[in-house]
Amino acid sequence: MGLFSRLKALFGKKPNIKLGLALGSGGAKGMAHLGAIKAFEEAGLSFAVVTGASIGGIVGALYARGFSAADMVGIVENVNRKEFSKGLKPFADMTFIEKFLENYLDGDFSSLPIPFAVAVTDGETNRSVLLREGRLARALTASAAIPPFFRGVEIGGKRYFDGAFSDAVPADYCKQLGADLVVGVDLSAYNRPEEEKGALSRLVGSAISAMTPVRYLENARTRGYAAADIMLRPDLSRYRATSIDRGSMDKMYEIGYRTAKEELGHILERITAWRKNR
């Protein structure tokens, strides 16, 4: 039986397994998320619970709203990159991003057809916090508020920052929300280690860290790996979180698509194993 025949057999009827999708942080590398979702759509694979951090939160919320991969590509194409770049000033306010998101994600978390939550970092405790109620666009900007580009976002009297600092691929939260099996997508799996970076890059990184009110926790990425049943690791080492030129974004989309396609068989095996052990 071929791969797609197996998929049809597994998902021809309402599945008795609750699949979760945890989308990691990574800025413009989030195009790989769209490519992966496209591969899942082609295979008839759908998710009942979604979590995300930073760009993964934005993509996850759009998915939970019902947008397809093609829809999301269209949203990206509607972004005025020049105008967006003008807003990238040290510790900029994120109101312009919040207003943009409200065009597609107006309303509260409760308005989403699929259960969704986003990871943020508490500016006071530096700990991960799960947001799953209140205004969607506001919560998503908080999860993407990475200094020194943006200042923290205030919600309920607390200031929150990018979820990447404390839970970069929130697969653990996906399990917490009731997912039986979680597929994670790590956009930073192939980042260069600090020791391999040039002296200037390390110096700039240290200067930025000194200005940043929150710090990356040691388990910010490993906690996601511990909770995910399958972790997709697209090789985006040639790209940066700021690679917003059309050529780079198209290539990152394709890498995400290919990575997900290659892992479909593995995902099906895990689903089958779960069902046998019920």
Side-chain angles (χ1 to χ4, degrees):
M1 184 182 291
L3 173 61
F4 290 99
S5 296
R6 289 161 59 197
L7 276 166
K8 185 176 180 180
L10 280 168
F11 296 98
K13 298 180 180 179
K14 185 177 180 180
N16 56 5
I17 182 172
K18 185 179 289 187
L19 293 179
L21 180 64
L23 300 175
S25 60
K29 295 180 183 181
M31 287 300 296
H33 285 326
L34 307 191
I37 289 172
K38 176 62 175 176
F40 296 145
E41 289 173 347
E42 290 180 349
L45 197 63
S46 59
F47 297 89
V49 178
V50 184
T51 58
S54 197
I55 188 62
I58 294 172
V59 173
L62 289 168
Y63 180 89
R65 175 72 85 197
F67 287 95
S68 68
D71 293 332
M72 289 185 256
V73 169
I75 292 172
V76 172
E77 291 176 346
N78 285 335
V79 175
N80 187 318
R81 292 178 176 81
K82 289 184 178 180
E83 289 300 315
F84 180 82
S85 297
K86 290 179 181 178
L88 295 178
K89 301 174 182 178
F91 296 101
D93 182 89
M94 295 193 73
T95 302
F96 74 103
I97 294 180
E98 183 176 347
K99 288 182 178 179
F100 175 79
L101 291 175
E102 285 177 344
N103 293 319
Y104 308 96
L105 293 165
D106 191 22
D108 294 351
F109 280 78
S110 60
S111 67
L112 297 176
I114 297 174
F116 167 76
V118 64
V120 297
T121 302
D122 189 313
E124 183 177 351
T125 66
N126 211 137
R127 293 181 178 178
S128 179
V129 174
L130 185 70
L131 298 182
R132 54 181 307 193
E133 59 182 24
R135 301 294 292 178
L136 260 174
R138 186 77 171 170
L140 294 173
T141 54
S143 185
I146 184 166
F149 298 110
F150 302 110
R151 69 183 68 167
V153 174
E154 187 172 321
I155 300 176
K158 291 190 175 183
R159 190 164 292 275
Y160 296 111
F161 291 87
D162 199 303
F165 288 101
S166 54
D167 198 352
V169 190
D172 52 331
Y173 286 142
C174 223
K175 284 282 178 72
Q176 182 177 314
L177 294 181
D180 298 311
L181 186 146
V182 177
V183 177
V185 185
D186 183 5
L187 302 179
S188 302
Y190 291 92
N191 282 356
R192 283 193 302 165
E194 283 297 318
E195 59 269 18
E196 293 183 8
K197 296 179 181 179
L200 180 59
S201 293
R202 293 198 301 271
L203 180 62
V204 171
S206 296
I208 290 175
S209 295
M211 297 186 293
T212 300
V214 285
R215 299 286 182 271
Y216 285 101
L217 299 182
E218 289 185 4
N219 69 339
R221 286 178 60 245
T222 56
R223 62 190 290 175
Y225 276 78
D229 297 282
I230 301 101
M231 184 66 77
L232 304 189
R233 304 171 73 245
D235 186 353
L236 304 170
S237 56
R238 295 184 180 182
Y239 306 97
R240 298 177 181 272
T242 54
S243 298
I244 61 173
D245 63 281
R246 182 60 183 267
S248 293
M249 295 180 80
D250 287 347
K251 290 176 182 176
M252 289 187 286
Y253 177 95
E254 180 62 28
I255 291 170
Y257 176 81
R258 291 201 312 267
T259 301
K261 291 278 281 189
E262 290 167 0
E263 288 294 325
L264 281 175
H266 184 203
I267 294 171
L268 289 178
E269 289 175 1
R270 295 302 299 267
I271 293 172
T272 300
W274 184 89
R275 284 179 170 164
K276 285 182 178 179
N277 293 327
R278 277 194 77 181

